[in-house]
């Protein structure tokens, strides 16, 4: 099966260098969680006075969700367009968009199985209790966060049909998502007006809202959030497809 | 001086070759600074002080960090990548034949002038903040020297890491860990426990890029830390040279 083969390929790529495995633990888990954890606890003392255990759980969870949903498929897409490798992908019997989507999902799955899940089990063992209770609602929001992350990344990638460089946009995306998704600090620390305005954008649905749903059951009753999140999924997915179709008409591959 | 000027001209030609690249740099730089400053402005809306810093003091803190980062990107960012690549692909032996210092040639050939577009704005912003603080001139002078020392230290840390390539290590991972660790510098150092703070001043010199130079202006400098800031570039140069001398004896490349 195509999806399974992709997963197997991504797993082989991930384990090609042992150091990559170790670095993933340091770069995506240990360092950001420790640094952000201390920072958020400090902020909480100054601004909001939240329960510290709850905040630590939030930092761990929001960072995990952030790295799970952060997608960097734009670099692959840009490379394919610039180097005309896209021609081979278009000629393949599988839909190109499907190839990109499942490539991203397979990469995420490898990271979840080999990095995030063991880390979660270790943390739960250390805390001697399951740290988060996962509901169906939380799973739906995690899925939404992955789709939003993928769509934003693919949209930037498809802009390569018209732009010579997309790394600037890619850098902006990473920064804006880090700050506004809630992985840097809980968005509740912001003034009310800013917080409510942010809820209308797709950013909090990447990390803050799924983490809050898992940690705080009260958020689960707010179906308005689900409607906004699903709305953003539809909008971003449509933009992605439109850009792809228009970009293909613009694309001139040179294989020589 | 003539060589540096020539290198700078080359950097301008290289940098402005592709308009898309120029727009990307400007966009990335301005968004980085805007997002960082805006986030803290919003947080200061909720409290008058954060980590013991007032808004003005913390703006100094952040602008110091951004200026050091910016200067590093202009003078050393690409030079380090080029230096690492030259060790891996063997072109280093050509640089060894140049009468100038080997790394110096990488720096001169790899000035990245595009981050310079945002430097004047950052400096003007910093000057406006300094005038609001009304600090004696000797402190400002010390602060400027501190910024230069911190930029050199940042460069020397990455350069020292790059010598591990001689041992056959993949340094990209270590460099990215270091970048992650250095990101601590954009957060108020007072939030961190004193032991951790000391580690990030004396071992991993992250706070030398923000808290320590900023404190000179705020007139809250700790003498020991300030002295350390001025010593670290020399110390790292010595460490780098020792590492390189030993590593070069083992370096083998077949063209």
């Amino acid at each position: 099966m195509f999806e399974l083969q992709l997963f197997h390929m991504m797993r082989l790529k991930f384990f090609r260098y042992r150091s990559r495995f170790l670095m993933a633990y340091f770069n995506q888990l240990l360092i950001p969680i420790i640094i952000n954890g201390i920072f958020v606890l400090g902020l909480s003392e100054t601004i909001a006075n939240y329960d510290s255990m709850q905040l630590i759980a939030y930092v761990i969870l929001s960072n995990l969700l952030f790295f799970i949903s952060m997608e960097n498929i734009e670099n692959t897409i840009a490379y394919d367009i610039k180097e005309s490798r896209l021609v081979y992908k278009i000629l393949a019997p599988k839909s190109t968009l499907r190839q990109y989507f499942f490539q991203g999902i397979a990469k995420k799955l490898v990271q979840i199985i080999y990095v995030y899940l063991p880390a979660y089990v270790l943390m739960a063992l250390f805390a001697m209790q399951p740290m988060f209770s996962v509901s169906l609602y939380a799973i739906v929001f995690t899925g939404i966060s992955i789709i939003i992350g993928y769509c934003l990344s693919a949209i930037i990638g498809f802009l390569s049909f018209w732009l010579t460089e997309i790394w600037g946009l890619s850098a902006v995306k990473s920064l804006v998502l880090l700050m506004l998704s809630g992985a840097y600090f809980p968005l509740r620390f912001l003034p009310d007006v800013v917080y409510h305005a942010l809820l209308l954008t797709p950013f909090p649905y990447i990390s803050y809202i799924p983490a809050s749903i898992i940690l705080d059951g009260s958020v689960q009753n707010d179906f308005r959030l689900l409607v906004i999140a699903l709305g953003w999924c539809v909008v971003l997915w449509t933009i992605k497809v439109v850009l792809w179709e228009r970009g293909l008409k613009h694309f001139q591959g040179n294989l020589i | 001086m003539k060589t540096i000027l020539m290198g700078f001209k080359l950097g301008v030609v290289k940098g402005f070759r592709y308009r898309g690249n120029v727009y990307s740099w400007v966009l990335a730089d301005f968004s980085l600074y805007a997002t960082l400053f805006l986030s803290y402005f919003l947080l200061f809306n909720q409290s008058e002080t954060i980590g013991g810093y007032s808004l003005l003091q913390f703006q100094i803190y952040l602008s110091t960090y951004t200026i050091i980062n910016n200067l590093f990107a202009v003078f050393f960012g690409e030079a380090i990548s080029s230096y690492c690549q030259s060790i891996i692909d063997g072109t280093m032996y050509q640089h060894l034949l140049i009468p100038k210092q080997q790394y110096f040639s990488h720096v001169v050939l790899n000035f990245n002038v595009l981050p310079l577009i945002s430097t004047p704005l950052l400096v003007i912003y910093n000057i406006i903040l300094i005038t609001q603080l009304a600090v004696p001139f000797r402190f400002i002078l010390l602060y400027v020297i501190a910024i230069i020392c911190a930029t050199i230290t940042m460069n020397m840390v990455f350069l020292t890491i790059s010598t591990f390539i001689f041992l056959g290590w993949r340094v990209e991972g270590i460099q990215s860990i270091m970048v992650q660790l250095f990101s601590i510098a954009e957060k108020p150092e007072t939030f961190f426990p004193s032991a951790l703070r000391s580690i990030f001043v004396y071992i991993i010199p992250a706070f030398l890029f923000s808290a320590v130079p900023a404190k000179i202006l705020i007139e809250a400098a700790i003498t020991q830390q300030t002295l350390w800031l001025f010593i670290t570039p020399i110390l790292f140069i010595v460490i780098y040279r020792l590492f390189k001398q030993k590593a070069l004896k083992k370096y083998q490349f077949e063209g």
Side-chain angles (χ1 to χ4, degrees):
Chain A
M1 205 177 138
F2 165 69
E3 288 79 10
L4 267 175
Q5 281 173 345
L6 259 180
F7 173 75
H8 183 59
M9 193 181 79
M10 286 299 166
R11 196 173 64 88
L12 289 177
K13 265 176 95 172
F14 188 71
F15 285 102
R16 192 168 42 182
Y17 298 109
R18 263 177 305 173
S19 58
R20 186 176 290 176
F21 181 67
L22 258 172
M23 296 306 161
Y25 268 97
F26 274 103
N27 269 339
Q28 298 180 7
L29 285 170
L30 212 62
I31 300 171
I33 285 174
I34 291 174
I35 293 178
N36 284 349
I38 298 173
F39 171 64
V40 167
L41 281 175
L43 268 183
S44 155
E45 277 173 24
T46 322
I47 292 173
N49 232 343
Y50 281 89
D51 172 45
S52 51
M53 279 316 286
Q54 188 83 350
L55 272 177
I56 290 170
Y58 171 83
V59 170
I60 293 171
L61 193 58
S62 62
N63 276 276
L64 277 177
L65 283 163
F66 179 73
F67 286 113
I68 287 172
S69 53
M70 268 296 276
E71 187 56 73
N72 286 318
I73 198 93
E74 69 260 30
N75 298 325
T76 314
I77 296 173
Y79 179 73
D80 286 347
I81 296 171
K82 298 287 164 231
E83 300 293 318
S84 296
R85 285 167 56 109
L86 188 64
V87 176
Y88 297 115
K89 290 204 167 161
I90 295 169
L91 290 174
K94 300 279 175 196
S95 139
T96 318
L97 280 184
R98 200 174 152 198
Q99 288 178 54
Y100 283 132
F101 182 68
F102 282 106
Q103 194 178 328
I105 296 291
K107 203 170 143 192
K108 287 289 142 205
L109 212 59
V110 171
Q111 286 176 343
I112 290 171
I113 292 173
Y114 295 103
V115 181
Y116 305 126
L117 214 59
Y120 168 73
V121 172
L122 269 177
M123 282 187 275
L125 279 176
F126 184 70
M128 299 293 279
Q129 57 178 338
M131 291 172 74
F132 326 114
S133 61
V134 180
S135 63
L136 181 69
Y137 204 59
I139 293 170
V140 169
F141 264 95
T142 309
I144 288 173
S145 79
I146 292 173
I147 291 173
I148 291 178
Y150 166 75
C151 284
L152 287 172
S153 181
I155 287 171
I156 292 174
F158 292 146
L159 287 176
S160 293
F161 282 119
W162 297 275
L163 302 176
T164 46
E165 295 280 350
I166 56 137
W167 69 261
L169 283 173
S170 176
V172 173
K173 181 205 80 176
S174 308
L175 279 167
V176 171
L177 288 190
L178 179 69
M179 291 290 186
L180 303 182
S181 69
Y184 200 75
F185 55 80
L187 299 179
R188 210 67 200 85
F189 284 4
L190 293 171
D192 271 353
V193 184
V194 181
Y195 171 73
H196 288 294
L198 270 179
L199 288 184
L200 298 175
T201 68
F203 311 119
Y205 301 94
I206 285 178
S207 179
Y208 176 74
I209 296 293
S212 303
I213 285 169
I214 295 172
L215 291 171
D216 177 15
S218 64
V219 190
Q220 297 203 9
N221 301 324
D222 198 346
F223 281 99
R224 198 176 55 102
L225 298 176
L226 184 65
V227 174
I228 299 173
L230 284 174
W232 273 114
C233 278
V234 174
V235 169
L236 293 173
W237 192 274
T238 313
I239 295 174
K240 183 201 76 170
V241 174
V242 170
L243 280 178
W244 166 250
E245 283 171 357
R246 294 207 171 176
L248 267 188
K249 286 177 190 162
H250 194 266
F251 176 66
Q252 286 187 323
N254 185 1
L255 290 173
I256 300 164
Chain B
M1 195 62 204
K2 202 179 162 188
T3 321
I4 294 173
L5 215 67
M6 290 292 283
F8 187 75
K9 279 183 186 167
L10 177 71
V12 172
V13 174
K14 268 164 68 178
F16 288 90
R17 203 169 25 177
Y18 299 110
R19 257 189 308 174
N21 200 28
V22 179
Y23 297 144
S24 289
W25 261 108
V26 174
L27 189 69
D29 257 11
F30 281 93
S31 326
L32 165 69
Y33 303 134
T35 322
L36 196 63
F37 280 98
L38 191 72
S39 302
Y40 278 101
F41 272 124
L42 290 171
L43 288 172
F44 268 99
N45 235 338
Q46 305 286 77
S47 169
E48 280 191 4
T49 58
I50 288 181
Y53 288 96
S54 68
L55 176 60
L56 178 63
Q57 289 173 335
F58 202 70
Q59 279 172 281
I60 294 269
Y61 191 102
L62 274 186
S63 67
T64 305
Y65 174 67
T66 48
I67 286 177
I68 291 167
N69 249 327
N70 193 266
L71 290 176
F72 172 78
V74 173
F75 295 105
F76 307 115
E78 292 206 353
I80 284 178
S81 309
S82 152
Y83 180 68
C84 289
Q85 194 52 42
S86 77
I87 302 172
I88 295 165
D89 64 23
T91 51
M92 199 186 88
Y93 70 90
Q94 293 169 348
H95 289 273
L96 285 170
L97 296 172
I98 297 171
K100 298 268 179 198
Q101 272 282 331
Q102 184 207 350
Y103 180 61
F104 177 77
S105 66
H106 283 280
V107 173
V108 171
L109 288 169
N110 290 287
F111 280 134
N112 187 3
V113 293
L114 295 178
L116 260 183
I117 298 170
S118 54
T119 313
L121 273 178
L122 284 173
V123 172
I124 290 168
Y125 181 57
N126 196 255
I127 290 170
I128 293 170
L129 294 171
I130 292 172
T131 49
Q132 285 181 40
L133 274 176
V135 203
F137 180 70
R138 64 177 193 279
F139 285 114
I140 298 172
L141 196 68
L142 206 62
Y143 173 72
V144 173
I145 299 168
I147 283 185
I148 296 167
C149 284
T151 312
I152 296 171
T153 302
M154 194 184 263
N155 167 54
M156 291 316 297
V157 169
F158 285 108
L159 200 59
T160 308
I161 291 172
S162 69
T163 55
F164 296 148
I165 300 176
F166 288 112
L167 305 172
W169 291 16
R170 283 166 54 85
V171 294
E172 303 93 337
I174 306 170
Q175 282 172 341
S176 64
I177 284 182
M178 203 47 85
V179 170
Q180 278 276 13
L181 289 170
F182 281 173
S183 73
I184 201 174
E186 69 192 35
K187 298 173 172 79
E189 108 285 11
T190 40
F191 281 171
F192 296 87
S194 61
L196 202 64
R197 227 182 298 171
S198 300
I199 290 174
F200 279 100
V201 169
Y202 298 108
I203 300 168
I204 302 158
F207 286 128
L208 297 190
F209 311 138
S210 58
V212 180
K215 277 181 176 174
I216 296 172
L217 279 186
I218 301 164
E219 296 183 59
I222 300 165
T223 321
Q224 206 182 343
Q225 289 184 353
T226 315
L227 275 174
W228 182 245
L229 170 63
F230 295 122
I231 293 168
T232 36
I234 303 160
L235 191 76
F236 270 104
I237 289 171
V238 172
I239 294 172
Y240 163 68
R241 291 207 164 175
L242 283 174
F243 267 47
K244 201 183 129 194
Q245 267 174 12
K246 291 218 164 190
L248 264 183
K249 285 177 188 163
K250 291 184 178 178
Y251 184 59
Q252 282 187 331
F253 182 77
E254 289 177 23

